[in-house]
Amino acid sequence: MPKLNPQQKAAAQYINGPLLVLAGAGSGKTSVITRKISWLIRDYGIPPRNIVAVTFTNKAAREMKTRVADLMDGQHSKELQISTFHSFGLKILREHLEQIGYRPGFSLYDGEDSQALLSKLLRGQYSGKNNPAEAVRYQISMWKNNLISPAEAPLAAGGESIQDVAARVYGEYERHLQAYNAMDLDDLILKPVRLFQNQPEILEEWRRRVRYLLVDEYQDTNLCQYELVKLLAGNRGMLTVVGDDDQSIYTWRGAHPENLKQLQQDFPLLKVVKLEQNYRSTGRILKAANALIANNPHICE
């Protein structure tokens, strides 16, 4: 296993408070996360069941889990909680269905299911070819990702036609999901956030269970995902997030690279470590890339 450079080692071994690791592509950020998890277990005695690491794709989660298992010689691998945001949200919801008004065996609607339901709700107002269900589904998804409720949607719509349509049907869409004992994909993050906001005793239970939280590709979090992270971390701030403010790929679905700066405001004791050594690209490529991103407004100073 390659040794960590001084910056990587500093990031991996720091657990005295919230930590932001600014890491570009090829800088070894996955190594930092996986080494940190192994050190949390081996050197600091935190049980693997009390460590949660979240990322954005199943592939990234599997890779991270495999690498940690290799570092631990296969020990504790079954107890590791490394998953996507949505899988982690689903785990929370399955334990608290009654508290959110759902029954066991609920349905999970994908994009097509949600669009079909919205098309049905809009059918009396629009013909088949003119039915704006797809655009409405996208707008409602964006509102959920930005923590905007059906009651707040009319004000958020701002007089734009498709947003006004979405605002009118948003509440009805939610009522139908509840009646069908169903959720959409955005609910897997939104409903845990609302659960924690409305029932502090459940939030405290999860804070006791999640003794350390790690987030990969943090620049791709939306407001709802960030709120989930902030709620779980609480005042203890036992949190490490790794992000590259020049590589956000999910802005089209609500990602907020600005969350990197917001983190510094919400966690005043935040320590920032920059991984500046690149192990993939040549000096010429790096020089050209740095020139291109020099004026990026999301860069954290």
Side-chain angles (χ1 to χ4, degrees):
M1 183 68 63
K3 290 184 178 181
L4 300 182
N5 65 39
Q7 290 75 27
Q8 291 172 326
K9 189 173 183 180
Q13 293 187 327
Y14 183 79
I15 66 161
N16 295 325
L19 173 68
L20 166 61
V21 182
L22 287 175
S27 61
K29 60 187 177 65
T30 303
S31 295
V32 167
I33 293 178
T34 54
R35 292 287 189 93
K36 186 157 200 165
I37 293 172
S38 68
W39 271 326
L40 287 168
I41 297 169
R42 281 180 169 168
D43 294 6
Y44 300 103
I46 298 180
R49 66 179 177 275
N50 296 129
I51 300 169
V52 171
V54 289
T55 186
F56 282 86
T57 67
N58 290 319
K59 179 181 178 181
R62 286 193 300 269
E63 179 186 353
M64 199 182 299
K65 193 166 187 176
T66 298
R67 290 174 68 167
V68 175
D70 289 343
L71 287 169
M72 301 294 296
D73 298 323
Q75 298 177 11
H76 311 297
S77 59
K78 291 184 179 180
E79 299 179 75
L80 290 171
Q81 297 191 75
I82 301 176
S83 68
T84 63
F85 268 101
H86 289 91
S87 294
F88 181 56
L90 181 59
K91 176 181 174 67
I92 295 171
L93 293 176
R94 280 176 170 160
E95 295 191 29
H96 301 286
L97 286 176
E98 184 177 348
Q99 287 91 337
I100 62 172
Y102 277 75
R103 305 181 301 278
F106 69 90
S107 299
L108 184 60
Y109 279 22
D110 61 17
E112 290 185 4
D113 295 326
S114 296
Q115 187 169 322
L117 173 56
L118 286 164
S119 181
K120 178 181 176 181
L121 297 177
L122 292 165
R123 195 167 294 155
Q125 306 173 51
Y126 299 92
S127 62
K129 288 185 178 181
N130 295 322
N131 193 314
E134 182 177 1
V136 168
R137 181 184 69 82
Y138 174 79
Q139 182 59 61
I140 290 175
S141 176
M142 293 294 287
W143 280 335
K144 287 189 174 188
N145 289 337
N146 284 284
L147 299 170
I148 295 173
S149 69
E152 297 165 327
L155 183 61
E160 295 186 24
S161 58
I162 197 62
Q163 292 186 357
D164 287 338
V165 174
R168 289 200 305 270
V169 78
Y170 188 1
E172 190 177 0
Y173 170 71
E174 291 294 280
R175 288 190 290 274
H176 274 73
L177 286 178
Q178 187 90 39
Y180 296 156
N181 199 39
M183 305 179 198
D184 63 25
L185 291 174
D186 299 309
D187 288 330
L188 297 183
I189 312 296
L190 179 61
K191 288 190 181 298
V193 167
R194 297 305 190 201
L195 174 70
F196 289 160
Q197 290 173 333
N198 296 329
Q199 303 198 41
E201 69 284 357
I202 294 178
L203 173 58
E204 286 304 317
E205 174 191 337
W206 276 91
R207 283 177 174 172
R208 287 192 294 270
R209 291 166 63 172
V210 182
R211 291 177 55 188
Y212 206 95
L213 177 63
L214 303 99
V215 184
D216 191 21
E217 305 293 358
Y218 185 73
Q219 75 281 350
D220 289 325
T221 56
N222 57 44
L223 290 180
C224 193
Q225 289 162 335
Y226 175 61
E227 187 65 20
L228 181 62
V229 169
K230 188 170 68 170
L231 285 166
L232 283 169
N235 293 329
R236 296 176 305 117
M238 301 302 283
L239 168 73
T240 291
V241 305
V242 180
D244 178 359
D245 46 8
D246 293 306
Q247 288 203 34
S248 180
I249 63 173
Y250 292 126
T251 51
W252 58 273
R253 71 178 193 194
H256 280 250
E258 295 84 358
N259 283 348
L260 290 164
K261 288 186 176 180
Q262 186 62 42
L263 194 75
Q264 295 172 308
Q265 296 180 28
D266 291 334
F267 295 90
L269 298 179
L270 183 74
K271 179 180 177 66
V272 179
V273 174
K274 295 184 179 181
L275 305 185
E276 298 177 310
Q277 185 171 346
N278 188 291
Y279 292 95
R280 295 182 193 164
S281 303
T282 66
R284 180 177 294 179
I285 293 173
L286 289 174
K287 185 176 180 180
N290 288 332
L292 285 172
I293 66 177
N295 297 316
N296 190 324
H298 302 310
I299 291 177
C300 294
E301 298 298 338

